[in-house]
Amino acid sequence: MEAFVLVIKAQQFALSAWDMSTSHTNIPFIYYFKNPNSGSVNDFMQSNKLRASFLKALEEFPILVGHITVGKDGRCLVDVNPHNLNMPEYLESQSTVHFHDLEKAKFSWDALPHAATVGVFCAAGVSGIIKLVNVNIIRLAENSGLVLFVSIPHYVVDGVGYCAFVNRWAELCRWMQHHATENEPPRHDYNFDRSTFGRYMPDNRAPLNSTMSMIYDSPSYFGSLLAWISPETRGNLYVNLDRMKDITGHVFHISATSLGALRKSISKCAPQTQKISDNDILTILISHVISKGMKDDAKDSQGLGYFASVARRATRAFTGKPKEFLTMMVLDA
């Protein structure tokens, strides 16, 4: 731990307006690991190596040990202070659920072990402050496997940054497990300075599309209120409002075989030079579901009239009707 603190430098990262548009949510992923030698005493994903490699990965992601603060201009920034680090919430627990039970239930939402750390919304953990990485390692019954929850605020990193951190953690863990006597993997350098984009943007730019212009230009009294309160209070508000809603959760398991078949089918309609990633396919699937839901909702709202439409929106806001659906996918690595 002392070695980790010594490599962290004092610095600040200003968050952009686009960052703040996602300040209410985390990026929460769930990873499943099956132990091929279930029930035996072995070195399956040892706790000490998991934590050591986690701290090693954090050295290259100093933004994740900073505090979310609000500047004099009302904008949020991440303040990294080596003398007051905001260390991640890192929990490890034991479950009575067996990995075989998860497989038998086809990774049903109800069969999933409960995570002790924060979930979808960017809220304070047990310490009372917002952590920029939240981890819960859940060891399954009879050493049959492990479930890993990793949640990071969306306005600190995007999906690319999230995956870069988790992949780096995995890379360093593999090195500690199998090649610790060899030289350490080369250090990676990451740029967390949002102003970099502006410096490399061309002078002549295409105008924003109508949807993006509306996000930036449309006034919102509720949004102004949320911007005025502290990040912790804002997170608690979202969590409490979410409890009023009737949410049905679903986990969809996507096998590597079916994902490969879908990629092959899509590739027939794409240019030969275009590489289609797993993330591209998952984004397409999720976007299709969301678009269809929005279309169906728009059909249901037609013919209601102005006052009836307003009343319906208000009812949904306060009662959570109709049901909201949270969709998650399990992907074979």
Side-chain angles (χ1 to χ4, degrees):
M1 184 66 181
E2 293 181 0
F4 168 75
V5 174
L6 291 175
V7 301
I8 301 299
K9 299 179 181 179
Q11 50 194 315
Q12 291 185 336
F13 302 98
L15 301 181
S16 67
W18 182 245
D19 291 326
M20 295 310 299
S21 67
T22 57
S23 62
H24 64 286
T25 184
N26 288 325
I27 304 178
F29 271 76
I30 308 170
Y31 301 87
Y32 298 88
F33 299 92
K34 184 177 182 179
N35 184 359
N37 301 310
S38 177
S40 63
V41 178
N42 57 58
D43 58 354
F44 177 71
M45 301 187 74
Q46 293 176 308
S47 297
N48 60 338
K49 288 185 171 60
L50 281 172
R51 185 169 180 81
S53 56
F54 176 76
L55 292 174
K56 197 70 177 176
L58 276 179
E59 292 180 8
E60 300 174 11
F61 290 79
I63 192 172
L64 298 181
V65 292
H67 289 268
I68 293 289
T69 61
V70 181
K72 295 180 179 179
D73 59 355
R75 295 177 181 270
C76 284
L77 55 87
V78 179
D79 181 29
V80 181
N81 182 354
H83 303 291
N84 182 29
L85 294 177
N86 183 18
M87 293 304 296
E89 186 172 78
Y90 188 97
L91 310 173
E92 186 164 344
S93 55
Q94 179 68 46
S95 173
T96 58
V97 177
H98 197 282
F99 195 92
H100 177 68
D101 297 329
L102 296 178
E103 291 181 309
K104 187 176 180 180
K106 297 181 179 180
F107 298 93
S108 166
W109 182 265
D110 294 332
L112 189 69
H114 175 69
T117 188
V118 298
V120 175
F121 292 104
C122 185
V126 294
S127 64
I129 61 175
I130 293 176
K131 298 294 186 177
L132 304 192
V133 186
N134 302 275
V135 174
N136 189 189
I137 298 171
I138 301 178
R139 297 194 175 273
L140 301 177
E142 300 180 10
N143 197 25
S144 58
L146 181 148
V147 178
L148 173 64
F149 290 83
V150 182
S151 183
I152 301 178
H154 201 327
Y155 61 151
V156 178
V157 295
D158 59 5
V160 174
Y162 177 100
C163 292
F165 172 74
V166 174
N167 287 339
R168 183 57 171 164
W169 180 11
E171 179 184 12
L172 291 169
C173 190
R174 285 193 298 269
W175 168 75
M176 290 185 178
Q177 182 75 17
H178 304 292
H179 309 286
T181 57
E182 302 177 5
N183 292 331
E184 182 178 324
R187 181 182 175 88
H188 293 179
D189 293 321
Y190 301 92
N191 187 352
F192 307 101
D193 183 6
R194 272 60 171 172
S195 65
T196 303
F197 290 101
R199 292 196 296 270
Y200 288 93
M201 289 287 287
D203 294 332
N204 297 324
R205 308 174 190 174
L208 292 175
N209 60 48
S210 57
T211 302
M212 192 64 65
S213 297
M214 183 180 64
I215 292 175
Y216 279 107
D217 296 338
S218 299
S220 171
Y221 297 108
F222 184 60
S224 298
L225 173 63
L226 291 177
W228 176 74
I229 60 180
S230 70
E232 285 78 13
T233 303
R234 184 165 58 238
N236 291 335
L237 177 63
Y238 281 125
V239 171
N240 288 312
L241 288 174
D242 184 62
R243 290 172 180 164
M244 299 170 59
K245 299 171 67 177
D246 187 8
I247 296 179
T248 301
H250 296 276
V251 177
F252 298 96
H253 179 264
I254 303 175
S255 68
T257 302
S258 60
L259 194 65
L262 186 56
R263 180 188 294 103
K264 183 177 180 180
S265 177
I266 295 175
S267 298
K268 296 178 181 178
C269 305
Q272 294 183 352
T273 56
Q274 183 177 356
K275 180 180 179 181
I276 301 174
S277 67
D278 292 345
N279 185 69
D280 293 334
I281 298 175
L282 293 177
T283 301
I284 292 170
L285 292 174
I286 295 171
S287 299
H288 175 75
V289 173
I290 293 175
S291 299
K292 188 177 185 304
M294 293 174 65
K295 183 179 180 181
D296 292 343
D297 183 69
K299 288 181 179 179
D300 293 341
S301 300
Q302 292 178 357
L304 287 177
Y306 177 76
F307 291 104
S309 179
V310 171
R312 181 177 180 179
R313 290 178 180 272
T315 301
R316 289 186 183 182
F318 289 102
T319 67
K321 298 179 180 179
K323 290 183 177 180
E324 302 288 338
F325 290 90
L326 171 65
T327 63
M328 303 188 74
M329 297 185 180
V330 181
L331 175 64
D332 287 345

